[in-house]
Amino acid sequence: MFGKRTVPESRPSDRAPDEVPTVKEGETVIADRELETGPHKPYRPARWQSNLTIVSCYIANFSDGFQNQLANPTNVIFTHLLGKSGYPAEMKTRISNSLLIGAILGVLALGYISDMISRRAGLLFTSGLVTVSTLMAAVALDVHPSQNMLWYFVIVRGICGFGVGGEYPPSAAAGLEESDDFKRRYRGPVFVSFTTLMATLASPILMIIYLICLKASNNNLPVTFHAIYSIATILPAVIMVLRFFMTDSTLYHNSNFKHQRKPLRFYYLLARRYWRRLALTSLAFFLYDFINFPNSIMSSSIISSMVKDGNLQTTATWQVILAVLPVPGVLVGAFLTNAIGRRWTGIAGFAGYVVLGFIIGGCYKLLSRHIAAFVVLYGLLQAFGHMGPGATIGLISSESFPTAMRGMGYSIATAFGRTGAAVGTECFTPLQDAAGDSATFYLLAGVAVLGMVVYWFLPESGELNLEEEDRELEKYLGMHGFVMEKGC
């Protein structure tokens, strides 16, 4: 009676035609393994789950950009509340670097976890960590005396940095994989839109919120501080809820190291195959963040020194204008990633850094007396940076590695970038104090020349087929005695 229903599960002919995956040459083993697992369709997230992953990446990168840019209003608030003697330059640098150092540790740890365990699990952990640490930072002004408060703030911002940095590898990997699955031709512009564009938009929106809080509280700095950090707490909390419902991508399901045996020789093989891409992307990331982060962080101090009466609202207004100007650069960069390619877009951005860096450095004394001219040129400088390496280095670092090690490859490159940001912050502040603000722009332009050279040797990652890269990695490991286990 049941004979007609007990059909062998592994026979492809018994499946509905739409359930049989298209198999190309070289994929026979993968297809056989899928058929042997039982009467299920090939793994593919529901459309709403894919959309949810992309949406959460948009909000998460906005949140991370918000966290990174909090250093600008924080420096202004602490300087006015504590004075220069109570908030010395070395403590300002520690607070800026605490987020960066935490990010370096977080990006390395979560890059490994996102490849070896799950993109989703890593993202849930980082969202929770950012939520808790930002809430702790929001009550920092209640810690007394001020010296204890500053060290408390350094610690909680370091914890937050671990979460922010840990967000990058799983978010970039998951977003790129879903973008490729949705529309391969537009994966570059889509990736730029939910990474660099969101992080860049966060800056002017933060400064607008900061300005509104100043006006609404009649320049009450403690109230303003609590407001901006409370808003920064809400964002990762919302993301954490969304990520309960997301799932891992098809590419990650079909190619991952979750069940892989991993002796030291396994890591040696990966390094031997991808060391050149890893070295170049890491160096490019280092050079970009070396000049981008300290200039972004120091912009508040430079503008504040140009506002003669020290008016907080006037300073904040100019900061809003400066923060808005790089946004069009990101949009142009997103377009150029397909129009002229990732490499040439990055080279063009670094070239803009070189030209404007020398112009601003050479004319700084004149520009310092005309704040509008300075802000426009400074904003244009940052627009070129966000258009070129800002828009493309994360994209190249994600596309250059196969799915199974995308998180690790991206995390190592990003860790070098955050190291460059920390080193740059340590270098720029003493240079600014010793040789003046103009010297920092000369340094920026000189480093940008090196960036152009490094970009010339980067792979044109837009031409890479992500699935083909996964198959090549599987074939390579198989030749050396490591058979990749399929499925999550």
Side-chain angles (χ1 to χ4, degrees):
M1 176 169 70
F2 300 102
K4 295 182 179 180
R5 293 184 179 271
T6 55
V7 181
E9 296 176 349
S10 61
R11 290 169 52 194
S13 59
D14 294 322
R15 291 184 174 192
D18 61 337
E19 296 183 9
V20 180
T22 303
V23 180
K24 299 178 182 179
E25 185 178 355
E27 294 184 290
T28 310
V29 177
I30 300 174
D32 286 347
R33 287 180 191 165
E34 283 188 351
L35 296 174
E36 289 169 1
T37 57
H40 62 76
K41 294 182 179 180
Y43 177 88
R44 189 179 183 86
R47 175 55 63 188
W48 70 269
Q49 290 175 312
S50 296
N51 292 339
L52 189 63
T53 300
I54 295 292
V55 169
S56 67
C57 286
Y58 274 97
I59 302 174
N61 281 285
F62 179 89
S63 173
D64 293 342
F66 201 93
Q67 292 287 348
N68 284 322
Q69 293 302 320
L70 278 173
N72 272 325
T74 301
N75 284 337
V76 175
I77 290 171
F78 283 179
T79 300
H80 277 76
L81 287 178
L82 306 175
K84 288 189 176 180
S85 58
Y87 188 49
E90 59 269 19
M91 186 55 75
K92 183 189 297 186
T93 302
R94 285 192 194 106
I95 288 177
S96 299
N97 274 349
S98 62
L99 191 80
L100 295 174
I101 293 170
I104 294 169
L105 299 175
V107 78
L108 290 172
L110 271 297
Y112 185 84
I113 290 171
S114 68
D115 281 347
M116 301 302 174
I117 299 177
S118 171
R119 312 280 199 234
R120 177 177 176 272
L123 290 168
L124 280 171
F125 172 74
T126 55
S127 300
L129 195 61
V130 174
T131 303
V132 173
S133 58
T134 307
L135 182 61
M136 293 171 66
V139 300
L141 291 181
D142 298 322
V143 180
H144 297 285
S146 60
Q147 194 65 21
N148 290 345
M149 181 272 285
L150 291 174
W151 278 110
Y152 167 85
F153 199 75
V154 167
I155 293 169
V156 296
R157 289 296 282 169
I159 296 171
C160 180
F162 188 94
V164 169
E167 176 85 32
Y168 293 130
S171 181
L176 181 76
E177 290 154 12
E178 293 296 351
S179 301
D180 185 76
D181 198 27
F182 172 68
K183 205 71 159 178
R184 178 171 297 172
R185 180 185 173 190
Y186 298 111
R187 75 175 183 226
V190 171
F191 183 91
V192 173
S193 71
F194 71 72
T195 52
T196 309
L197 180 60
M198 287 297 100
T200 306
L201 276 174
S203 182
I205 292 175
L206 165 63
M207 296 312 302
I208 290 170
I209 293 171
Y210 171 56
L211 180 58
I212 291 171
C213 291
L214 285 174
K215 286 184 175 293
S217 65
N218 196 24
N219 291 344
N220 188 315
L221 294 179
V223 169
T224 300
F225 177 87
H226 287 127
I228 60 176
Y229 274 88
S230 296
I231 292 170
T233 304
I234 295 170
L235 291 170
V238 171
I239 299 163
M240 187 166 55
V241 173
L242 291 177
R243 282 172 171 164
F244 272 110
F245 302 98
M246 68 171 281
T247 188
D248 289 319
S249 68
T250 305
L251 279 171
Y252 182 75
H253 179 87
N254 290 332
S255 182
N256 61 74
F257 291 146
K258 289 175 65 172
H259 308 294
Q260 185 72 48
R261 61 185 181 90
K262 296 178 279 288
L264 286 177
R265 182 168 172 269
F266 171 79
Y267 296 103
Y268 165 75
L269 290 171
L270 293 180
R272 190 176 75 175
R273 182 172 176 82
Y274 294 104
W275 71 268
R276 188 173 184 274
R277 291 183 184 182
L278 199 58
L280 288 172
T281 53
S282 297
L283 182 55
F285 233 132
F286 181 94
L287 294 174
Y288 172 61
D289 280 358
F290 179 87
I291 56 181
N292 177 58
F293 264 75
N295 270 282
S296 298
I297 290 171
M298 289 191 307
S299 64
S300 60
S301 302
I302 294 175
I303 292 177
S304 181
S305 67
M306 290 183 176
V307 178
K308 302 305 179 185
D309 59 357
N311 186 285
L312 285 171
Q313 293 186 19
T314 303
T315 302
T317 302
W318 283 113
Q319 285 178 296
V320 170
I321 296 171
L322 178 61
V324 169
L325 291 175
V327 175
V330 182
L331 296 174
V332 173
F335 169 76
L336 291 178
T337 55
N338 275 3
I340 63 174
R342 279 64 156 157
R343 286 172 59 246
W344 282 109
T345 302
I347 290 171
F350 269 125
Y353 262 151
V354 174
V355 174
L356 286 165
F358 282 120
I359 290 175
I360 296 174
C363 304
Y364 187 81
K365 286 186 178 180
L366 178 63
L367 291 172
S368 63
R369 297 194 293 269
H370 302 279
I371 188 170
F374 173 80
V375 167
V376 169
L377 283 175
Y378 201 175
L380 188 59
L381 173 87
Q382 293 190 336
F384 269 103
H386 285 70
M387 178 200 80
T392 57
I393 187 55
L395 176 60
I396 294 173
S397 299
S398 297
E399 291 178 326
S400 296
F401 302 101
T403 302
M405 63 168 292
R406 180 165 293 121
M408 290 187 291
Y410 180 86
S411 71
I412 293 171
T414 307
F416 272 92
R418 294 303 174 265
T419 303
V423 173
T425 304
E426 290 287 351
C427 292
F428 272 62
T429 303
L431 180 62
Q432 186 181 32
D433 294 339
D437 292 324
S438 60
T440 63
F441 292 98
Y442 291 135
L443 176 60
L444 176 150
V447 173
V449 174
L450 294 177
M452 293 175 67
V453 174
V454 173
Y455 248 81
W456 178 261
F457 294 99
L458 285 174
E460 181 48 67
S461 59
E463 299 173 357
L464 299 176
N465 183 307
L466 302 187
E467 293 177 357
E468 183 63 32
E469 285 290 309
D470 293 346
R471 289 193 290 269
E472 289 297 322
L473 174 63
E474 181 180 9
K475 190 184 301 182
Y476 169 76
L477 291 175
M479 290 169 55
H480 293 86
F482 291 93
V483 178
M484 289 182 65
E485 298 293 335
K486 299 293 173 180
C488 292

